[in-house]
Amino acid sequence: MLINNIYNFYQMYSDSLLEDDFSEYKNSTNVLDLWILIKINRLIQEVESAMLGYNLNRAMRPITEFIDEFSTWYLRRSRDRLKGDDNLDKNRALSTMRFVFLNLSKVMAPFMPFISEDLWQKISGYNF
């Protein structure tokens, strides 16, 4: 599953991310970070709107498209940032990915509860 591949890449570099760095995404000026944050917010709005209209097919479609864009556009173009020596930029990219994963797991929960719960527990650190 594509979301697991994205998470595995995140996990390889997330050791350097401290709890104090979790909100670094708010300070990022990188165009990729800003783009993915806009995309996750649009996804939330689109899925919420479709679910309020009881249109589950229309609600699910943007989730799979978002995951594809998260992998294809964000992750591929952020690899150099994650592998690089600029720790501040690396932490901002990781913090952005963490924020996206947490929100994506919430959006996916009604459709894929077990996958989203697994992702939530891995990212948040809460294991029940």
Side-chain angles (χ1 to χ4, degrees), residues 93-122:
L94 289 168
S95 173
T96 301
M97 289 181 75
R98 181 180 187 279
F99 177 82
V100 169
F101 277 129
L102 289 173
N103 284 284
L104 181 59
S105 68
K106 293 177 195 176
V107 171
M108 290 184 341
F111 307 101
M112 299 173 266
F114 299 112
I115 294 169
S116 61
E117 179 66 23
D118 180 54
L119 182 61
W120 175 268
Q121 288 183 11
K122 289 177 184 174

PDB file of all heavy atoms in Angstrom, residues 93-122:
ATOM      1  N   ALA A  93      10.488  19.608   7.181  1.00  0.00           N
ATOM      2  CA  ALA A  93       9.879  18.642   6.254  1.00  0.00           C
ATOM      3  C   ALA A  93       9.273  17.473   7.028  1.00  0.00           C
ATOM      4  O   ALA A  93       8.148  17.042   6.750  1.00  0.00           O
ATOM      5  CB  ALA A  93      10.916  18.151   5.256  1.00  0.00           C
ATOM      6  N   LEU A  94       9.997  16.957   8.012  1.00  0.00           N
ATOM      7  CA  LEU A  94       9.488  15.846   8.823  1.00  0.00           C
ATOM      8  C   LEU A  94       8.273  16.260   9.643  1.00  0.00           C
ATOM      9  O   LEU A  94       7.312  15.508   9.770  1.00  0.00           O
ATOM     10  CB  LEU A  94      10.590  15.316   9.740  1.00  0.00           C
ATOM     11  CG  LEU A  94      11.714  14.554   9.055  1.00  0.00           C
ATOM     12  CD1 LEU A  94      12.875  14.340  10.020  1.00  0.00           C
ATOM     13  CD2 LEU A  94      11.207  13.230   8.505  1.00  0.00           C
ATOM     14  N   SER A  95       8.313  17.458  10.187  1.00  0.00           N
ATOM     15  CA  SER A  95       7.185  17.970  10.951  1.00  0.00           C
ATOM     16  C   SER A  95       5.958  18.134  10.058  1.00  0.00           C
ATOM     17  O   SER A  95       4.830  17.820  10.459  1.00  0.00           O
ATOM     18  CB  SER A  95       7.560  19.308  11.588  1.00  0.00           C
ATOM     19  OG  SER A  95       6.458  19.909  12.199  1.00  0.00           O
ATOM     20  N   THR A  96       6.177  18.593   8.844  1.00  0.00           N
ATOM     21  CA  THR A  96       5.084  18.734   7.884  1.00  0.00           C
ATOM     22  C   THR A  96       4.495  17.370   7.556  1.00  0.00           C
ATOM     23  O   THR A  96       3.275  17.196   7.536  1.00  0.00           O
ATOM     24  CB  THR A  96       5.574  19.435   6.607  1.00  0.00           C
ATOM     25  OG1 THR A  96       6.083  20.727   6.957  1.00  0.00           O
ATOM     26  CG2 THR A  96       4.463  19.579   5.592  1.00  0.00           C
ATOM     27  N   MET A  97       5.367  16.392   7.321  1.00  0.00           N
ATOM     28  CA  MET A  97       4.887  15.045   7.018  1.00  0.00           C
ATOM     29  C   MET A  97       4.103  14.477   8.195  1.00  0.00           C
ATOM     30  O   MET A  97       3.058  13.851   8.009  1.00  0.00           O
ATOM     31  CB  MET A  97       6.060  14.136   6.659  1.00  0.00           C
ATOM     32  CG  MET A  97       6.683  14.438   5.319  1.00  0.00           C
ATOM     33  SD  MET A  97       8.031  13.323   4.912  1.00  0.00           S
ATOM     34  CE  MET A  97       7.101  11.843   4.490  1.00  0.00           C
ATOM     35  N   ARG A  98       4.584  14.714   9.403  1.00  0.00           N
ATOM     36  CA  ARG A  98       3.890  14.220  10.592  1.00  0.00           C
ATOM     37  C   ARG A  98       2.495  14.838  10.693  1.00  0.00           C
ATOM     38  O   ARG A  98       1.511  14.153  10.941  1.00  0.00           O
ATOM     39  CB  ARG A  98       4.705  14.534  11.840  1.00  0.00           C
ATOM     40  CG  ARG A  98       4.071  14.029  13.120  1.00  0.00           C
ATOM     41  CD  ARG A  98       4.935  14.371  14.339  1.00  0.00           C
ATOM     42  NE  ARG A  98       4.403  13.756  15.522  1.00  0.00           N
ATOM     43  CZ  ARG A  98       3.384  14.240  16.236  1.00  0.00           C
ATOM     44  NH1 ARG A  98       2.802  15.354  15.890  1.00  0.00           N
ATOM     45  NH2 ARG A  98       2.956  13.599  17.305  1.00  0.00           N
ATOM     46  N   PHE A  99       2.418  16.144  10.488  1.00  0.00           N
ATOM     47  CA  PHE A  99       1.133  16.841  10.523  1.00  0.00           C
ATOM     48  C   PHE A  99       0.183  16.275   9.466  1.00  0.00           C
ATOM     49  O   PHE A  99      -1.002  16.036   9.734  1.00  0.00           O
ATOM     50  CB  PHE A  99       1.355  18.345  10.300  1.00  0.00           C
ATOM     51  CG  PHE A  99       0.087  19.142  10.250  1.00  0.00           C
ATOM     52  CD1 PHE A  99      -0.538  19.539  11.416  1.00  0.00           C
ATOM     53  CD2 PHE A  99      -0.476  19.505   9.037  1.00  0.00           C
ATOM     54  CE1 PHE A  99      -1.719  20.281  11.377  1.00  0.00           C
ATOM     55  CE2 PHE A  99      -1.653  20.241   8.979  1.00  0.00           C
ATOM     56  CZ  PHE A  99      -2.270  20.631  10.155  1.00  0.00           C
ATOM     57  N   VAL A 100       0.690  16.050   8.279  1.00  0.00           N
ATOM     58  CA  VAL A 100      -0.128  15.507   7.192  1.00  0.00           C
ATOM     59  C   VAL A 100      -0.596  14.095   7.532  1.00  0.00           C
ATOM     60  O   VAL A 100      -1.772  13.758   7.345  1.00  0.00           O
ATOM     61  CB  VAL A 100       0.646  15.539   5.856  1.00  0.00           C
ATOM     62  CG1 VAL A 100      -0.068  14.739   4.785  1.00  0.00           C
ATOM     63  CG2 VAL A 100       0.849  16.977   5.401  1.00  0.00           C
ATOM     64  N   PHE A 101       0.307  13.262   8.045  1.00  0.00           N
ATOM     65  CA  PHE A 101      -0.079  11.896   8.424  1.00  0.00           C
ATOM     66  C   PHE A 101      -1.177  11.890   9.486  1.00  0.00           C
ATOM     67  O   PHE A 101      -2.129  11.115   9.395  1.00  0.00           O
ATOM     68  CB  PHE A 101       1.125  11.116   8.957  1.00  0.00           C
ATOM     69  CG  PHE A 101       1.988  10.500   7.904  1.00  0.00           C
ATOM     70  CD1 PHE A 101       3.343  10.689   7.911  1.00  0.00           C
ATOM     71  CD2 PHE A 101       1.443   9.698   6.909  1.00  0.00           C
ATOM     72  CE1 PHE A 101       4.164  10.104   6.955  1.00  0.00           C
ATOM     73  CE2 PHE A 101       2.238   9.106   5.951  1.00  0.00           C
ATOM     74  CZ  PHE A 101       3.608   9.314   5.968  1.00  0.00           C
ATOM     75  N   LEU A 102      -1.041  12.729  10.500  1.00  0.00           N
ATOM     76  CA  LEU A 102      -2.045  12.765  11.571  1.00  0.00           C
ATOM     77  C   LEU A 102      -3.408  13.177  11.029  1.00  0.00           C
ATOM     78  O   LEU A 102      -4.433  12.576  11.373  1.00  0.00           O
ATOM     79  CB  LEU A 102      -1.600  13.704  12.690  1.00  0.00           C
ATOM     80  CG  LEU A 102      -0.435  13.226  13.543  1.00  0.00           C
ATOM     81  CD1 LEU A 102       0.020  14.320  14.502  1.00  0.00           C
ATOM     82  CD2 LEU A 102      -0.811  11.968  14.309  1.00  0.00           C
ATOM     83  N   ASN A 103      -3.428  14.188  10.188  1.00  0.00           N
ATOM     84  CA  ASN A 103      -4.701  14.645   9.631  1.00  0.00           C
ATOM     85  C   ASN A 103      -5.252  13.679   8.593  1.00  0.00           C
ATOM     86  O   ASN A 103      -6.464  13.477   8.514  1.00  0.00           O
ATOM     87  CB  ASN A 103      -4.556  16.052   9.057  1.00  0.00           C
ATOM     88  CG  ASN A 103      -4.525  17.078  10.151  1.00  0.00           C
ATOM     89  OD1 ASN A 103      -5.545  17.405  10.727  1.00  0.00           O
ATOM     90  ND2 ASN A 103      -3.338  17.560  10.482  1.00  0.00           N
ATOM     91  N   LEU A 104      -4.375  13.079   7.824  1.00  0.00           N
ATOM     92  CA  LEU A 104      -4.818  12.087   6.850  1.00  0.00           C
ATOM     93  C   LEU A 104      -5.431  10.876   7.546  1.00  0.00           C
ATOM     94  O   LEU A 104      -6.445  10.343   7.091  1.00  0.00           O
ATOM     95  CB  LEU A 104      -3.644  11.659   5.967  1.00  0.00           C
ATOM     96  CG  LEU A 104      -3.946  10.647   4.869  1.00  0.00           C
ATOM     97  CD1 LEU A 104      -5.014  11.178   3.909  1.00  0.00           C
ATOM     98  CD2 LEU A 104      -2.664  10.291   4.132  1.00  0.00           C
ATOM     99  N   SER A 105      -4.855  10.474   8.655  1.00  0.00           N
ATOM    100  CA  SER A 105      -5.417   9.325   9.375  1.00  0.00           C
ATOM    101  C   SER A 105      -6.817   9.637   9.903  1.00  0.00           C
ATOM    102  O   SER A 105      -7.686   8.762   9.919  1.00  0.00           O
ATOM    103  CB  SER A 105      -4.496   8.874  10.507  1.00  0.00           C
ATOM    104  OG  SER A 105      -4.439   9.837  11.525  1.00  0.00           O
ATOM    105  N   LYS A 106      -7.055  10.869  10.291  1.00  0.00           N
ATOM    106  CA  LYS A 106      -8.397  11.257  10.736  1.00  0.00           C
ATOM    107  C   LYS A 106      -9.399  11.243   9.584  1.00  0.00           C
ATOM    108  O   LYS A 106     -10.546  10.814   9.746  1.00  0.00           O
ATOM    109  CB  LYS A 106      -8.373  12.656  11.355  1.00  0.00           C
ATOM    110  CG  LYS A 106      -7.613  12.755  12.650  1.00  0.00           C
ATOM    111  CD  LYS A 106      -7.596  14.202  13.105  1.00  0.00           C
ATOM    112  CE  LYS A 106      -6.585  14.467  14.169  1.00  0.00           C
ATOM    113  NZ  LYS A 106      -6.524  15.895  14.533  1.00  0.00           N
ATOM    114  N   VAL A 107      -8.956  11.732   8.421  1.00  0.00           N
ATOM    115  CA  VAL A 107      -9.838  11.779   7.257  1.00  0.00           C
ATOM    116  C   VAL A 107     -10.153  10.372   6.755  1.00  0.00           C
ATOM    117  O   VAL A 107     -11.273  10.082   6.337  1.00  0.00           O
ATOM    118  CB  VAL A 107      -9.200  12.630   6.129  1.00  0.00           C
ATOM    119  CG1 VAL A 107      -9.970  12.515   4.839  1.00  0.00           C
ATOM    120  CG2 VAL A 107      -9.103  14.084   6.554  1.00  0.00           C
ATOM    121  N   MET A 108      -9.172   9.482   6.822  1.00  0.00           N
ATOM    122  CA  MET A 108      -9.353   8.111   6.332  1.00  0.00           C
ATOM    123  C   MET A 108     -10.166   7.241   7.286  1.00  0.00           C
ATOM    124  O   MET A 108     -10.703   6.210   6.876  1.00  0.00           O
ATOM    125  CB  MET A 108      -7.992   7.425   6.136  1.00  0.00           C
ATOM    126  CG  MET A 108      -7.180   7.942   5.012  1.00  0.00           C
ATOM    127  SD  MET A 108      -5.611   7.050   4.718  1.00  0.00           S
ATOM    128  CE  MET A 108      -5.262   6.188   6.212  1.00  0.00           C
ATOM    129  N   ALA A 109     -10.249   7.613   8.528  1.00  0.00           N
ATOM    130  CA  ALA A 109     -10.829   6.754   9.563  1.00  0.00           C
ATOM    131  C   ALA A 109     -12.211   6.183   9.229  1.00  0.00           C
ATOM    132  O   ALA A 109     -12.436   4.996   9.439  1.00  0.00           O
ATOM    133  CB  ALA A 109     -10.858   7.482  10.904  1.00  0.00           C
ATOM    134  N   PRO A 110     -13.147   6.955   8.704  1.00  0.00           N
ATOM    135  CA  PRO A 110     -14.460   6.358   8.409  1.00  0.00           C
ATOM    136  C   PRO A 110     -14.424   5.312   7.292  1.00  0.00           C
ATOM    137  O   PRO A 110     -15.275   4.440   7.234  1.00  0.00           O
ATOM    138  CB  PRO A 110     -15.317   7.553   7.970  1.00  0.00           C
ATOM    139  CG  PRO A 110     -14.605   8.752   8.452  1.00  0.00           C
ATOM    140  CD  PRO A 110     -13.156   8.400   8.505  1.00  0.00           C
ATOM    141  N   PHE A 111     -13.433   5.400   6.419  1.00  0.00           N
ATOM    142  CA  PHE A 111     -13.364   4.524   5.256  1.00  0.00           C
ATOM    143  C   PHE A 111     -12.409   3.357   5.456  1.00  0.00           C
ATOM    144  O   PHE A 111     -12.655   2.268   4.949  1.00  0.00           O
ATOM    145  CB  PHE A 111     -12.935   5.320   4.020  1.00  0.00           C
ATOM    146  CG  PHE A 111     -13.789   6.522   3.780  1.00  0.00           C
ATOM    147  CD1 PHE A 111     -13.350   7.783   4.156  1.00  0.00           C
ATOM    148  CD2 PHE A 111     -15.041   6.400   3.201  1.00  0.00           C
ATOM    149  CE1 PHE A 111     -14.140   8.895   3.941  1.00  0.00           C
ATOM    150  CE2 PHE A 111     -15.832   7.499   2.987  1.00  0.00           C
ATOM    151  CZ  PHE A 111     -15.388   8.755   3.361  1.00  0.00           C
ATOM    152  N   MET A 112     -11.315   3.612   6.132  1.00  0.00           N
ATOM    153  CA  MET A 112     -10.279   2.598   6.360  1.00  0.00           C
ATOM    154  C   MET A 112      -9.858   2.646   7.832  1.00  0.00           C
ATOM    155  O   MET A 112      -8.781   3.125   8.164  1.00  0.00           O
ATOM    156  CB  MET A 112      -9.074   2.877   5.466  1.00  0.00           C
ATOM    157  CG  MET A 112      -9.375   2.846   3.995  1.00  0.00           C
ATOM    158  SD  MET A 112      -7.981   3.369   2.992  1.00  0.00           S
ATOM    159  CE  MET A 112      -8.331   5.097   2.780  1.00  0.00           C
ATOM    160  N   PRO A 113     -10.720   2.184   8.718  1.00  0.00           N
ATOM    161  CA  PRO A 113     -10.462   2.385  10.148  1.00  0.00           C
ATOM    162  C   PRO A 113      -9.204   1.698  10.664  1.00  0.00           C
ATOM    163  O   PRO A 113      -8.492   2.275  11.489  1.00  0.00           O
ATOM    164  CB  PRO A 113     -11.717   1.825  10.824  1.00  0.00           C
ATOM    165  CG  PRO A 113     -12.358   0.952   9.817  1.00  0.00           C
ATOM    166  CD  PRO A 113     -11.979   1.478   8.480  1.00  0.00           C
ATOM    167  N   PHE A 114      -8.911   0.517  10.199  1.00  0.00           N
ATOM    168  CA  PHE A 114      -7.756  -0.200  10.741  1.00  0.00           C
ATOM    169  C   PHE A 114      -6.445   0.389  10.238  1.00  0.00           C
ATOM    170  O   PHE A 114      -5.486   0.516  10.994  1.00  0.00           O
ATOM    171  CB  PHE A 114      -7.853  -1.697  10.409  1.00  0.00           C
ATOM    172  CG  PHE A 114      -9.072  -2.333  10.998  1.00  0.00           C
ATOM    173  CD1 PHE A 114     -10.100  -2.781  10.190  1.00  0.00           C
ATOM    174  CD2 PHE A 114      -9.221  -2.445  12.376  1.00  0.00           C
ATOM    175  CE1 PHE A 114     -11.244  -3.351  10.736  1.00  0.00           C
ATOM    176  CE2 PHE A 114     -10.357  -3.015  12.932  1.00  0.00           C
ATOM    177  CZ  PHE A 114     -11.372  -3.468  12.109  1.00  0.00           C
ATOM    178  N   ILE A 115      -6.419   0.765   8.980  1.00  0.00           N
ATOM    179  CA  ILE A 115      -5.213   1.375   8.414  1.00  0.00           C
ATOM    180  C   ILE A 115      -4.964   2.735   9.057  1.00  0.00           C
ATOM    181  O   ILE A 115      -3.839   3.064   9.428  1.00  0.00           O
ATOM    182  CB  ILE A 115      -5.339   1.502   6.883  1.00  0.00           C
ATOM    183  CG1 ILE A 115      -5.372   0.113   6.258  1.00  0.00           C
ATOM    184  CG2 ILE A 115      -4.198   2.324   6.306  1.00  0.00           C
ATOM    185  CD1 ILE A 115      -5.749   0.109   4.790  1.00  0.00           C
ATOM    186  N   SER A 116      -6.023   3.518   9.208  1.00  0.00           N
ATOM    187  CA  SER A 116      -5.855   4.847   9.798  1.00  0.00           C
ATOM    188  C   SER A 116      -5.465   4.755  11.277  1.00  0.00           C
ATOM    189  O   SER A 116      -4.653   5.553  11.756  1.00  0.00           O
ATOM    190  CB  SER A 116      -7.097   5.704   9.610  1.00  0.00           C
ATOM    191  OG  SER A 116      -8.207   5.121  10.226  1.00  0.00           O
ATOM    192  N   GLU A 117      -6.003   3.790  11.997  1.00  0.00           N
ATOM    193  CA  GLU A 117      -5.634   3.616  13.405  1.00  0.00           C
ATOM    194  C   GLU A 117      -4.173   3.206  13.537  1.00  0.00           C
ATOM    195  O   GLU A 117      -3.451   3.703  14.403  1.00  0.00           O
ATOM    196  CB  GLU A 117      -6.533   2.577  14.072  1.00  0.00           C
ATOM    197  CG  GLU A 117      -6.218   2.317  15.529  1.00  0.00           C
ATOM    198  CD  GLU A 117      -6.492   3.511  16.431  1.00  0.00           C
ATOM    199  OE1 GLU A 117      -7.293   4.380  16.061  1.00  0.00           O
ATOM    200  OE2 GLU A 117      -5.899   3.569  17.525  1.00  0.00           O
ATOM    201  N   ASP A 118      -3.737   2.305  12.674  1.00  0.00           N
ATOM    202  CA  ASP A 118      -2.337   1.886  12.681  1.00  0.00           C
ATOM    203  C   ASP A 118      -1.418   3.078  12.398  1.00  0.00           C
ATOM    204  O   ASP A 118      -0.418   3.278  13.097  1.00  0.00           O
ATOM    205  CB  ASP A 118      -2.119   0.783  11.641  1.00  0.00           C
ATOM    206  CG  ASP A 118      -0.694   0.299  11.602  1.00  0.00           C
ATOM    207  OD1 ASP A 118      -0.174  -0.101  12.673  1.00  0.00           O
ATOM    208  OD2 ASP A 118      -0.089   0.304  10.513  1.00  0.00           O
ATOM    209  N   LEU A 119      -1.770   3.871  11.404  1.00  0.00           N
ATOM    210  CA  LEU A 119      -0.979   5.060  11.065  1.00  0.00           C
ATOM    211  C   LEU A 119      -0.978   6.059  12.217  1.00  0.00           C
ATOM    212  O   LEU A 119       0.069   6.595  12.586  1.00  0.00           O
ATOM    213  CB  LEU A 119      -1.536   5.697   9.793  1.00  0.00           C
ATOM    214  CG  LEU A 119      -0.807   6.919   9.263  1.00  0.00           C
ATOM    215  CD1 LEU A 119       0.636   6.582   8.909  1.00  0.00           C
ATOM    216  CD2 LEU A 119      -1.539   7.480   8.046  1.00  0.00           C
ATOM    217  N   TRP A 120      -2.141   6.294  12.816  1.00  0.00           N
ATOM    218  CA  TRP A 120      -2.248   7.225  13.942  1.00  0.00           C
ATOM    219  C   TRP A 120      -1.345   6.800  15.099  1.00  0.00           C
ATOM    220  O   TRP A 120      -0.619   7.617  15.666  1.00  0.00           O
ATOM    221  CB  TRP A 120      -3.694   7.324  14.414  1.00  0.00           C
ATOM    222  CG  TRP A 120      -3.840   8.175  15.629  1.00  0.00           C
ATOM    223  CD1 TRP A 120      -3.816   7.769  16.932  1.00  0.00           C
ATOM    224  CD2 TRP A 120      -3.983   9.600  15.670  1.00  0.00           C
ATOM    225  NE1 TRP A 120      -3.954   8.835  17.769  1.00  0.00           N
ATOM    226  CE2 TRP A 120      -4.053   9.983  17.034  1.00  0.00           C
ATOM    227  CE3 TRP A 120      -4.064  10.580  14.689  1.00  0.00           C
ATOM    228  CZ2 TRP A 120      -4.198  11.306  17.427  1.00  0.00           C
ATOM    229  CZ3 TRP A 120      -4.222  11.896  15.088  1.00  0.00           C
ATOM    230  CH2 TRP A 120      -4.284  12.243  16.439  1.00  0.00           C
ATOM    231  N   GLN A 121      -1.387   5.527  15.437  1.00  0.00           N
ATOM    232  CA  GLN A 121      -0.579   5.042  16.553  1.00  0.00           C
ATOM    233  C   GLN A 121       0.915   5.152  16.257  1.00  0.00           C
ATOM    234  O   GLN A 121       1.700   5.512  17.138  1.00  0.00           O
ATOM    235  CB  GLN A 121      -0.946   3.595  16.893  1.00  0.00           C
ATOM    236  CG  GLN A 121      -2.285   3.491  17.562  1.00  0.00           C
ATOM    237  CD  GLN A 121      -2.627   2.069  17.972  1.00  0.00           C
ATOM    238  OE1 GLN A 121      -1.787   1.176  17.942  1.00  0.00           O
ATOM    239  NE2 GLN A 121      -3.872   1.856  18.355  1.00  0.00           N
ATOM    240  N   LYS A 122       1.308   4.855  15.036  1.00  0.00           N
ATOM    241  CA  LYS A 122       2.729   4.963  14.672  1.00  0.00           C
ATOM    242  C   LYS A 122       3.216   6.402  14.746  1.00  0.00           C
ATOM    243  O   LYS A 122       4.300   6.664  15.247  1.00  0.00           O
ATOM    244  CB  LYS A 122       2.957   4.419  13.262  1.00  0.00           C
ATOM    245  CG  LYS A 122       2.841   2.931  13.132  1.00  0.00           C
ATOM    246  CD  LYS A 122       3.010   2.545  11.676  1.00  0.00           C
ATOM    247  CE  LYS A 122       2.823   1.085  11.439  1.00  0.00           C
ATOM    248  NZ  LYS A 122       2.858   0.752  10.000  1.00  0.00           N
TER     249      LYS A 122
END
